[in-house]
Amino acid sequence: FGTCFKPFLRVEDKTFIELAVLAMREYVDSFIFIYRDDQEKRFNVRSCLEDMLGKHGIKPICVIIPRPTSGPLDTLRAAFTHLAPDAPAIICDCDHAIQIGPLVKKAASMPHMEAVLATWPLDESDLKSWGVAAVLPDGLVVGSAEKRKPEGAPAEASMMGIIGCHYFRRVGSLEESAATKGCSHISEVLAQLSASKLVCASKIEQAEFFGDPKRLFECLTVRKGGKSPRAVLAYTMLTGKEVDKDDVFIPLATNALVQAVLPFVPWADWIENVVVVVTSDHSERFSLREAIPKALHGHFPCPVDVIALPADGCSSFAGVIHRLRGQSDSLTAGGALFWVSGCCSRGMDVAPLFYRSHTGPSAIVLGRNMEGCSLANETLVSVRAGAVTSVEIGAVPPCPGELLSVQGPVYFQSFTRLHSILEGAPALA
C-alpha cells in the first residue's frame, strides 16, 4: 500500500483496524496496540484509535516504542508489562477480520496445547501466497513452511494457510523464548513448541482478508456481490510536445510511457484496461496503434487500446472528455477512470488513489504541499479533513484549509457523470 499507514486504510466505511478489532471483541477483554513513536507523530495514532474504537465502547491500550526492533517478538515484549505471565493472549495482525470463535473453542477443548494457530483452507494454487501448516486430523500441527508444503509432512496431514492470528495459553512462554532461547520471531517460538507437539490448529470459517492490493480487491468484489471495482487507466498524449526536433515520439523513445505505467502494476487487478489517447496525426506518423501496445506488452497484464483524436478540439480537458465519449466501450459503460496527463505518474506512489477509490468520493487527487513554493501555473486545492473544498489555478483557493498542488493521476468515480458535468460547463479547461 505504498507509504500509507495500513491500519487506517479503509474497506468501505471502516478502517482495517476497526474491522480486525470488531471481529474479535466478543472473545477479547482488552486490546493492546503496539507501534512506533514516529508513527504516533506522523499519523496521530493514539487519538485516532480512541476516536475509531471509542464509538464501539472499546478503550485502546497504546504501547509506543521509540524505534524499530530486531523482530516481531522483540516488538511484542513491549506489551508484556501490561499482561500477567500466565495470562492468555491472542497475537493478531490488522490486515484481516476473522471470527475467532473456533480458535477460542479449540484452545478450551485442548488445554494441554501451548498455542493454537488460526488456519484457512488452501488450494494448491494458494500455497505461494501463504505460510503453510501441516495439520493432522486431530488438529495437531506437525510442520510449517513459508509458501510451500512443509517437508516430511505425513500423508494424512492437510495443508492449511496460517493466518496472522495466534493464541498463546501463556504470554510468558513468549518472553521465556525470547530471553532464554534466543528467539526473535514468533514463528521460531511456534516451531519449538510444535516440535514438542504443543501446537494445534483451528480452521476459521468466516474471514475477510485485505492485507495487499489483490486481497483487498477480492474482499471488495465479494462485498459488492461479485461486481469487481475495476476502472479504466487512461493516459493522454495531446500537448503537442510529444515529438522532438528529430521527429521522434518521445514517450516511446525514452521509455517514459512504460515508466509511467509501472506504478500501477501492483494494482493490475483493479484495472480493466489501459487507454492511451494520442492525436490522429501522431498515430499515423508513428504507427502508434501497434507501437504502444507492443511497448507495454510484458509490463502490464491488461488490454491496451490506443484512441486517436483530431488535435482540433483537444486543447481542453472538457474537449477531450467530450470526444472520448463513444470511443471506448469501457468508458461508455460509465465505469471509473484513472486519468493521467502525459507520463506524470512516473515514480509516484499511486496507492492512495486506489485505497480511497472504493470509499465514496466522486474524484480523488494526489497533492503536494505548496508552502513556500511558486503558485504560478499550478492547479491548487484547499483541503480540510481530507476533502477538497475549493480549486484555483495559479492562485490560493478561497476556502480555508491545507494548500496542495494537484500532482499526477486523478481518479473519477464515473466517466458518464464526469462527461455530464463537463457538458454543462464547456469552457472548463
Side-chain angles (χ1 to χ4, degrees), residues 349-391:
D349 174 17
V350 299
L353 289 176
F354 287 90
Y355 83 75
R356 287 292 302 276
S357 65
H358 63 276
T359 62
S362 296
I364 306 171
V365 300
L366 297 175
R368 176 170 63 92
N369 190 291
M370 292 301 293
E371 184 177 352
C373 300
S374 170
L375 306 184
N377 300 318
E378 295 280 351
T379 300
L380 301 165
V381 295
S382 182
V383 179
R384 296 189 69 181
V388 174
T389 56
S390 56
V391 183

Side-chain angles (χ1 to χ4, degrees), residues 315-318 393 425-429:
S315 59
S316 70
F317 177 62
I393 297 177
L428 183 62

Side-chain angles (χ1 to χ4, degrees), residues 39-56:
Q39 294 170 325
E40 171 66 23
K41 292 175 179 175
R42 183 176 178 186
F43 301 106
N44 198 21
V45 179
R46 183 192 298 273
S47 177
C48 289
L49 287 174
E50 289 173 348
D51 289 343
M52 289 176 199
L53 302 179
K55 62 187 177 184
H56 301 293

Side-chain angles (χ1 to χ4, degrees), residues 320-331:
V320 176
I321 293 296
H322 175 73
R323 288 179 176 271
L324 279 177
R325 188 170 178 83
Q327 294 284 337
S328 168
D329 290 340
S330 52
L331 289 176

Side-chain angles (χ1 to χ4, degrees), residues 94-363:
C94 71
D95 55 8
H96 50 241
I98 66 174
Q99 300 298 324
I100 61 170
L103 182 75
V104 175
K105 291 175 183 177
K106 175 68 77 170
S109 68
M110 302 184 75
H112 58 290
M113 291 290 167
E114 285 292 326
V116 184
L117 306 184
T119 60
W120 189 254
L122 295 181
D123 294 327
E124 191 75 24
S125 60
D126 294 328
L127 293 177
K128 60 186 178 183
S129 302
W130 286 78
V132 182
V135 183
L136 295 180
D138 64 357
L140 185 67
V141 174
V142 292
S144 62
E146 281 294 323
K147 301 181 180 181
R148 59 178 176 82
K149 292 181 178 180
E151 297 179 1
E156 66 269 25
S158 300
M159 299 300 121
M160 302 291 288
I162 302 173
I163 302 173
C165 186
H166 313 314
Y167 173 94
F168 287 92
R169 192 166 303 282
R170 293 176 55 254
V171 72
S173 65
L174 291 167
E175 172 67 18
E176 292 159 9
S177 295
T180 65
K181 299 179 182 179
C183 295
S184 59
H185 292 81
I186 298 173
S187 59
E188 295 172 342
V189 178
L190 290 171
Q192 291 181 356
L193 293 174
S194 179
S196 300
K197 298 184 178 181
L198 293 174
V199 180
C200 64
S202 171
K203 179 182 175 182
I204 299 299
E205 303 291 342
Q206 297 180 24
E208 287 186 315
F209 302 100
F210 32 80
D212 56 43
K214 182 177 179 62
R215 288 189 171 101
L216 178 56
F217 174 82
E218 293 170 348
C219 174
L220 290 167
T221 299
V222 171
R223 283 184 168 223
K224 295 177 183 295
K227 183 180 179 181
S228 301
R230 286 194 171 94
V232 173
L233 174 58
Y235 291 82
T236 56
M237 310 283 172
L238 300 169
T239 66
K241 300 178 181 179
E242 290 81 18
V243 179
D244 67 10
K245 59 183 178 59
D246 297 319
D247 202 35
V248 171
F249 190 70
I250 298 171
L252 293 184
T254 63
N255 214 34
L257 180 56
V258 171
Q259 294 300 316
V261 167
L262 291 181
F264 289 90
V265 171
W267 301 89
D269 288 318
W270 300 61
I271 305 298
E272 182 177 339
N273 67 316
V274 177
V275 171
V276 183
V277 187
V278 298
T279 65
S280 300
D281 174 58
H282 289 169
S283 178
E284 293 175 7
R285 285 168 59 193
F286 301 103
S287 302
L288 295 182
R289 292 187 186 275
E290 297 79 30
I292 287 176
K294 182 179 179 180
L296 294 181
H297 180 70
H299 295 283
F300 205 82
C302 296
V304 178
D305 298 326
V306 177
I307 297 177
L309 300 178
D312 180 36
C314 289
S315 59
S316 70
F317 177 62
V320 176
I321 293 296
H322 175 73
R323 288 179 176 271
L324 279 177
R325 188 170 178 83
Q327 294 284 337
S328 168
D329 290 340
S330 52
L331 289 176
T332 304
L337 173 69
F338 290 98
W339 184 268
V340 187
S341 297
C343 298
C344 66
S345 57
R346 285 179 292 179
M348 293 196 70
D349 174 17
V350 299
L353 289 176
F354 287 90
Y355 83 75
R356 287 292 302 276
S357 65
H358 63 276
T359 62
S362 296

